[in-house]
Amino acid sequence: MLDPATVKGFLDPVEGEALAALAREAGRLGPVLEIGSYCGKSALYLGPAAREAGSVLYTLDHHRGSEEHQAGEEYHDPELFNAELGAVETLPALRETLFRGGLEDCVIPVVGRSAIVAAHWTTPLGMVFIDGGHSMDAALADYEGWTGRIVAGGILAIHDVFPDPADGGRPPYEIWKLAVASGLYDTVNRVGTLEVLRRRA
């Protein structure tokens, strides 16, 4: 297996292992979807787990970078910036990760905006992992677009949830609160900054 530490990204290994365990279970109920592919670090955990469950991982991203990845922002990476286009471009990095990791049989990249893809999506999902843009508009679109696609007993996992505003941005925390208040989910556990909920029957 390709070492996730060699791939650009922001997922803690403990969180990654937790995601893999969830996908092994929830993948039996339907495909797994992650929102926010970036360069494929999380796919290295989720892809093999989905394969073990007899399913696949759909990894969704527009590949132009989140707000914090743009030129001049805190997490901008010049190596992922296409100067000719004047735009962030992470799709080649993802495809390299999937190739080197031997995951092209179980990880399916979906390139597009989350809300647009969600509006045309019909396949029920065993698990949704939200780790896309951290603006309120982006996080809310991810939650509202995909929460209705999760089957009973399936998993909703949200990354970068910080209850204390001093620790990080608020939008993932706000959509987690929406999920808890919706009555649709039971809380499962928290691993690092990863909040896990299960869809009620």
Side-chain angles (χ1 to χ4, degrees):
M1 175 180 168
L2 180 64
D3 184 355
T6 66
V7 176
K8 294 177 188 288
F10 310 96
L11 186 69
D12 182 274
V14 175
E15 296 171 338
E17 293 297 342
L19 285 170
L22 291 166
R24 285 187 201 100
E25 173 198 346
R28 298 188 183 98
L29 301 175
V32 177
L33 171 82
E34 71 162 339
I35 305 166
S37 313
Y38 198 49
C39 299
K41 183 186 286 285
S42 52
L44 289 173
Y45 293 99
L46 289 165
R51 181 199 282 142
E52 286 180 43
S55 191
V56 294
L57 168 69
Y58 292 101
T59 182
L60 169 61
D61 202 311
H62 51 67
H63 290 286
R64 295 300 180 206
S66 299
E67 299 82 0
E68 64 270 22
H69 299 144
Q70 304 308 310
E73 298 299 322
E74 182 178 3
Y75 293 103
H76 179 66
D77 186 340
E79 293 182 1
L80 298 173
F81 187 76
N82 185 319
E84 185 176 339
L85 296 179
V88 174
E89 174 59 275
T90 56
L91 181 58
L94 170 68
R95 296 204 66 200
E96 180 178 338
T97 297
L98 299 183
F99 180 80
R100 290 172 58 214
L103 298 178
E104 291 183 319
D105 66 316
C106 61
V107 181
I108 303 167
V110 179
V111 182
R113 301 277 171 183
S114 175
I116 296 171
V117 176
H120 298 276
W121 191 272
T122 58
T123 302
L125 297 166
M127 175 176 169
V128 170
F129 171 43
I130 298 179
D131 192 23
H134 286 10
S135 70
M136 194 63 220
D137 285 348
L140 192 59
D142 291 340
Y143 173 70
E144 291 182 340
W146 294 100
T147 186
R149 313 299 184 192
I150 303 171
V151 301
I155 292 293
L156 172 63
I158 305 172
H159 194 222
D160 293 331
V161 176
F162 297 105
D164 186 343
D167 295 331
R170 304 302 286 164
Y173 175 66
E174 295 298 332
I175 64 168
W176 172 77
K177 288 200 303 181
L178 286 176
V180 171
S182 72
L184 297 173
Y185 295 95
D186 294 311
T187 57
V188 177
N189 63 355
R190 177 181 174 91
V191 180
T193 70
L194 182 71
E195 287 281 0
V196 181
L197 306 102
R198 187 182 304 278
R199 181 77 184 235
R200 292 177 179 170

